[in-house]
Amino acid sequence: MKPVNLLIGIHNHQPVGNFGHVFEEAHDTCYQPQLKVLAEHHGIRIAIHHSGPLLEWLETHRPKYFDLLGKLVDRGQVEILSGGFYEPILSSIPEGDAVGQIEMMNDYIKRRFGFEPKGMWTAERIWDPYLPRIISSAGLKFTLLDDTHFYYAGLTASDMHGYYVTEKHGASVAVFPIDKTLRYSIPFRLPHETIDHIKRLREQGGVTGVTYGDDGEKFGLWPETYKWVYEERWLHNFYETLEKHQDVVNTSFFSQYLETHKARGRIYLPLASYEEMMEWSLPVEAGLKFERVLHDLAESGKKEEWKPFIRGGLWDNFLSKYDESNRMHKKMIYVSGKVAAAMKGLSGKKKDEARRELYQGQCNCAYWHGLFGGLYLNYLRHAVYHHLINAERIADEALHGDKSWLHVETLDYDTDGAPEIAVENQRISAVIDPDMGGTLLEFDYRPASFALSNTFTRRREAYHEKIKSHAGGSGENADKPVSIHDIVRLKEPGLADALHYDPSPRRIFADHFLSPEVGLEDFMRGLYQPLGDFAGIAYEPEVSKSRSEAEVTLTGNAVITVKGEHVPVTVVKKLSFNSKDAAIDVEYVVKNKGGAALDIIFGVELNLTLLAGDADDRYWVAEGLKSKPRLKDIMSHTGATMAGMRDDWAGFTVYAESKNPFDVWCFPVETVSQSEGGFERTYQGSCLFIHHRMAIKPGGRSGFSFSLKVDGGK
């Protein structure tokens, strides 16, 4: 009986925007020792994929790693896999960008290693039936996908070997199913268990190739794996075991296997990813039910039988599950369109720069959330926005030139079926959402390429139930590491007490009517009953524009309830812009349309971020402050004429200023989320709640005004 070809694919990745010390730790504890062990075992052949952000860091900071990788390629031990250079979800970005990202990676691999890739790693193994056109257009022939995809197409466990051919509109590509048993057992089970599994497959008959594909970070970077994989020599023993059992298993390249073995048949795969991703993408209640269904099926012994018919959501669901993900994604789509429109007006060097900045803004990690921090990590979102704003600035230079300009456009920016209003000049970019309380869903300070609106709404997550019930503990195993999927660890005590949920999305210019009894603590924790729902109602917009000035007047009508009385109220807010300043002048008028007098607090949320709540170079500013309180601190001011936040590192201040005094509450907004290291609290931004107590007679009105500004002073 011939040996089975074991096709090993390792995916090494660090996202755009990750910290330098993380790259260093990953190199030292994972990537370098991986290659060193491989170099000691000449008979082992594997495929390796590195994402572009990691390749660029390694080339600059660890060139010796590149030298060793090149030697292994020349020796015939490593086949390099291509992919989207900055690790995008290919189905979520414009087709031209998707092909361009793969071609950028192909060119890099050829230039740096003299190797022409034949296949690619598909980010998060997220498959779309249209992808064969993209992969084929980029000149590649194969990719690796989870067996999940194949089960959903109606196959069974006995079909999960070799490869299949799929196509779209005549463009074909080979797809290799990843064996989930191997994905979960390597490196968490002893090497001989892998050999035993392959022996069982071989005994089925007709099995000539089986695929293992997963994250390289499992080999040293995941919690508690370095000791197991290297100090206790798991990886060395694994390769040695494979070499000793060449009568059973032979490691081979995917490209070689493709040339020497026929496809098992034609297949058409549905939209899918690995099982965990499809569970994470579900809404909270659906996710909890899905968890119970899987548990019940496992208990009844029917999980494997029903596997093809039980599936979670789609990756795209993250765009509806998280407003923050959709806003970032639609910013990317908007900027991609701008860059495409500006290409004719850019030089060759500027074209490359704009394209590279855009592509970096398409790195997938910040757009979703599952086992890793992802979308909840403000610095990853910041990196995406930073590069998108850079690309947008390059495009705008070609579209508008160097003179002052003001652009106003009405469009369905976030694709919710209702129009938004984009207002831009050289210094700021704002997108007004009339359908969501007349709030800003985007506010960028362009000189610093900084998205000040990059905040996060505190919302319930399915795993919050684990935090509430978990008594603590490391999840450590005395003998061998636990899979990252099974670890439950709280990074600090009292996280359950930090679980607060916001009654409405955290936006800029969110309007609230409150009872005078509501205090700062109640408002900060979301433990209050709003008198009305102005933060979420549709406002009627009216836009006027001259060459150098623009006004957007937003009118909202709703009923508020005060002491049992239902009182119709109108709020009119006017946002004014000009072509030169990084400022929005805001004017509010509140009208009592009912028959009862109002005694209320009316206030406006300014949810803004400077990324760090506990850094001494980012702090609150207000007149009369003699210290520099950090953004994690809670403050209350009465009779203020200026309040805001200062970033000494980036060199700017964002603040509200008014000739008429206002009261303001200032506090941090923090979430509790899961990450690979455990459950953690994360600073997501700060809220300035500018408010006035108003007594308004029936038929009367009250109002106030202020300016939201960004500059290098204060």
Side-chain angles (χ1 to χ4, degrees):
M1 191 177 292
K2 291 184 178 181
V4 173
N5 290 280
L6 176 59
L7 308 164
I8 299 175
I10 301 297
H11 161 60
N12 295 329
H13 168 57
Q14 293 298 322
V16 171
N18 214 353
F19 298 118
H21 69 82
V22 177
F23 281 87
E24 291 177 1
E25 180 187 5
H27 168 270
D28 295 347
T29 64
C30 180
Y31 307 136
Q32 184 187 45
Q34 267 188 69
L35 284 193
K36 290 180 71 174
V37 174
L38 179 63
E40 296 171 5
H41 296 271
H42 292 219
I44 302 298
R45 293 184 294 278
I46 69 173
I48 301 181
H49 169 259
H50 299 80
S51 65
L54 178 57
L55 286 171
E56 290 180 332
W57 187 89
L58 289 167
E59 185 171 24
T60 301
H61 299 280
R62 297 294 187 274
K64 290 184 179 179
Y65 179 91
F66 263 41
D67 295 340
L68 179 55
L69 181 59
K71 289 178 182 178
L72 293 174
V73 171
D74 294 340
R75 187 192 288 176
Q77 275 192 263
V78 168
E79 170 179 35
I80 299 182
L81 296 178
S82 184
F85 194 87
Y86 287 108
E87 200 69 4
I89 303 299
L90 292 171
S91 61
S92 75
I93 66 176
E95 182 178 352
D97 294 347
V99 175
Q101 287 249 18
I102 300 172
E103 290 177 339
M104 179 181 285
M105 179 66 85
N106 292 346
D107 293 343
Y108 184 95
I109 294 170
K110 292 174 191 175
R111 173 175 55 82
R112 189 60 182 81
F113 299 102
F115 182 87
E116 185 169 349
K118 302 295 191 302
M120 62 171 283
W121 182 265
T122 299
E124 301 303 325
R125 284 96 76 196
I126 292 169
W127 181 258
D128 184 293
Y130 196 79
L131 284 184
R133 282 183 56 85
I134 291 171
I135 296 171
S136 180
S137 295
L140 300 179
K141 297 180 178 180
F142 71 86
T143 190
L144 294 58
L145 298 172
D146 287 75
D147 56 6
T148 306
H149 304 62
F150 298 81
Y151 281 117
Y152 293 161
L155 302 190
T156 64
S158 62
D159 302 314
M160 301 302 162
H161 57 88
Y163 70 92
Y164 296 81
V165 171
T166 189
E167 60 87 26
K168 188 68 175 181
H169 299 165
S172 64
V173 64
V175 284
F176 288 83
I178 296 170
D179 186 302
K180 187 177 180 181
T181 299
L182 293 180
R183 187 164 75 85
Y184 267 63
S185 63
I186 296 174
F188 303 107
R189 293 188 178 276
L190 296 173
H192 74 81
E193 295 182 66
T194 295
I195 300 298
D196 293 342
H197 175 67
I198 293 174
K199 283 181 178 179
R200 288 191 293 271
L201 291 176
R202 190 171 70 152
E203 289 169 1
Q204 293 178 11
V207 177
T208 59
V210 60
T211 294
Y212 168 78
D214 211 348
D215 298 342
E217 290 76 25
K218 294 170 69 172
F219 301 90
L221 191 59
W222 280 19
E224 300 145 28
T225 56
Y226 181 82
K227 181 175 184 289
W228 172 253
V229 172
Y230 300 113
E231 292 180 357
E232 298 183 12
R233 296 175 64 79
W234 181 94
L235 187 57
H236 170 82
N237 294 335
F238 177 65
Y239 287 156
E240 189 174 69
T241 302
L242 291 177
E243 289 174 322
K244 288 180 179 178
H245 291 83
Q246 293 184 28
D247 58 324
V248 176
V249 59
N250 174 58
T251 56
S252 179
F253 291 154
F254 291 92
S255 57
Q256 292 175 342
Y257 186 87
L258 203 63
E259 292 175 357
T260 56
H261 294 78
K262 292 183 178 180
R264 301 204 63 216
R266 178 188 303 272
I267 196 167
Y268 292 93
L269 302 169
L271 285 163
S273 181
Y274 48 86
E275 284 185 15
E276 299 88 349
M277 174 70 81
M278 299 181 76
E279 181 178 345
W280 297 330
S281 67
L282 288 170
V284 173
E285 290 302 328
L288 291 170
K289 289 179 182 177
F290 186 72
E291 220 175 78
R292 291 196 294 271
V293 168
L294 293 180
H295 177 268
D296 291 346
L297 285 173
E299 288 290 304
S300 66
K302 295 183 177 180
K303 185 176 178 181
E304 291 303 312
E305 178 185 353
W306 287 93
K307 182 184 291 187
F309 313 108
I310 305 296
R311 65 187 71 181
L314 307 172
W315 183 88
D316 303 68
N317 285 353
F318 286 112
L319 304 182
S320 58
K321 185 176 181 179
Y322 298 102
D323 173 58
E324 296 83 359
S325 178
N326 187 58
R327 283 157 46 193
M328 191 159 48
H329 181 262
K330 298 312 178 288
K331 172 75 171 181
M332 179 270 292
I333 298 293
Y334 180 70
V335 173
S336 179
K338 264 195 181 182
V339 169
M343 278 296 165
K344 289 183 180 179
L346 293 172
S347 66
K349 185 177 180 180
K350 279 293 183 182
K351 284 181 181 179
D352 291 342
E353 185 181 350
R355 191 177 291 115
R356 186 173 294 276
E357 292 288 350
L358 169 64
Y359 288 177
Q360 288 182 85
Q362 294 172 339
C363 184
N364 80 85
C365 306
Y367 286 90
W368 62 279
H369 171 59
L371 181 63
F372 299 91
L375 180 65
Y376 271 93
L377 300 178
N378 63 8
Y379 57 89
L380 292 186
R381 300 195 310 269
H382 171 72
V384 165
Y385 277 116
H386 178 80
H387 289 293
L388 291 177
I389 297 168
N390 283 344
E392 188 175 20
R393 287 169 59 196
I394 295 169
D396 279 331
E397 288 173 8
L399 295 171
H400 298 289
D402 295 331
K403 295 181 180 179
S404 296
W405 52 271
L406 181 66
H407 176 74
V408 179
E409 181 180 359
T410 299
L411 72 165
D412 188 2
Y413 182 92
D414 61 358
T415 65
D416 64 349
E420 284 75 44
I421 303 158
V423 185
E424 303 166 336
N425 63 26
Q426 287 179 314
R427 296 177 61 76
I428 60 170
S429 175
V431 180
I432 303 161
D433 189 352
D435 210 46
M436 182 55 73
T439 56
L440 297 190
L441 59 80
E442 183 83 21
F443 184 47
D444 302 333
Y445 182 52
R446 305 180 79 178
S449 295
F450 203 108
L452 292 160
S453 53
N454 174 25
T455 55
F456 210 88
T457 299
R458 300 174 297 184
R459 53 172 63 79
R460 184 182 174 217
E461 295 281 8
Y463 54 74
H464 284 172
E465 301 307 312
K466 295 180 182 178
I467 296 174
K468 293 174 183 177
S469 61
H470 186 60
S474 67
E476 293 179 4
N477 186 298
D479 300 319
K480 54 189 177 182
V482 178
S483 169
I484 197 168
H485 298 280
D486 301 320
I487 293 175
V488 177
R489 179 187 293 126
L490 306 184
K491 284 191 169 183
E492 61 177 278
L495 281 182
D497 296 330
L499 293 173
H500 305 299
Y501 306 126
D502 292 315
S504 58
R506 288 215 167 265
R507 296 276 190 92
I508 299 170
F509 301 144
D511 305 329
H512 297 279
F513 285 89
L514 305 177
S515 165
E517 286 74 37
V518 174
L520 167 56
E521 191 75 13
D522 295 328
F523 188 76
M524 180 177 67
R525 295 179 180 274
L527 303 175
Y528 66 94
Q529 185 65 41
L531 302 179
D533 59 355
F534 276 83
I537 68 167
Y539 277 51
E540 187 66 30
E542 183 179 335
V543 181
S544 62
K545 179 185 181 299
S546 66
R547 185 172 182 178
S548 60
E549 295 183 337
E551 290 182 352
V552 180
T553 302
L554 300 136
T555 303
N557 295 285
V559 174
I560 67 173
T561 303
V562 181
K563 296 181 180 178
E565 293 279 351
H566 302 301
V567 183
V569 171
T570 295
V571 173
V572 180
K573 58 183 169 186
K574 182 170 67 175
L575 310 180
S576 300
F577 304 80
N578 65 59
S579 61
K580 295 182 178 180
D581 297 325
I584 306 174
D585 295 326
V586 189
E587 182 180 337
Y588 273 93
V589 176
V590 180
K591 302 176 183 179
N592 182 347
K593 295 296 196 67
L598 294 178
D599 180 15
I600 47 87
I601 291 175
F602 177 74
V604 184
E605 278 189 68
L606 305 180
N607 289 292
L608 303 158
T609 185
L610 296 181
L611 298 178
D614 198 25
D616 58 11
D617 58 356
R618 273 154 277 195
Y619 49 88
W620 296 111
V621 293
E623 75 273 29
L625 275 181
K626 296 181 180 179
S627 62
K628 296 180 179 180
R630 299 184 183 187
L631 299 180
K632 70 174 184 178
D633 296 333
I634 302 167
M635 298 196 312
S636 176
H637 284 274
T638 58
T641 58
M642 188 277 286
M645 305 185 295
R646 172 68 185 174
D647 187 335
D648 284 341
W649 180 74
F652 67 83
T653 306
V654 55
Y655 59 100
E657 187 174 56
S658 176
K659 294 179 181 178
N660 303 309
F662 54 83
D663 296 340
V664 61
W665 295 334
C666 305
F667 57 87
V669 177
E670 298 174 319
T671 56
V672 178
S673 60
Q674 75 177 358
S675 69
E676 63 271 29
F679 297 102
E680 63 187 6
R681 188 197 311 247
T682 304
Y683 169 82
Q684 298 292 354
S686 299
C687 179
L688 290 85
F689 184 60
I690 295 172
H691 57 280
H692 293 264
R693 185 157 181 179
M694 294 181 176
I696 312 175
K697 296 178 180 179
R701 63 175 61 194
S702 183
F704 61 94
S705 61
F706 65 92
S707 295
L708 176 60
K709 298 181 177 181
V710 193
D711 64 36
K714 305 295 175 186

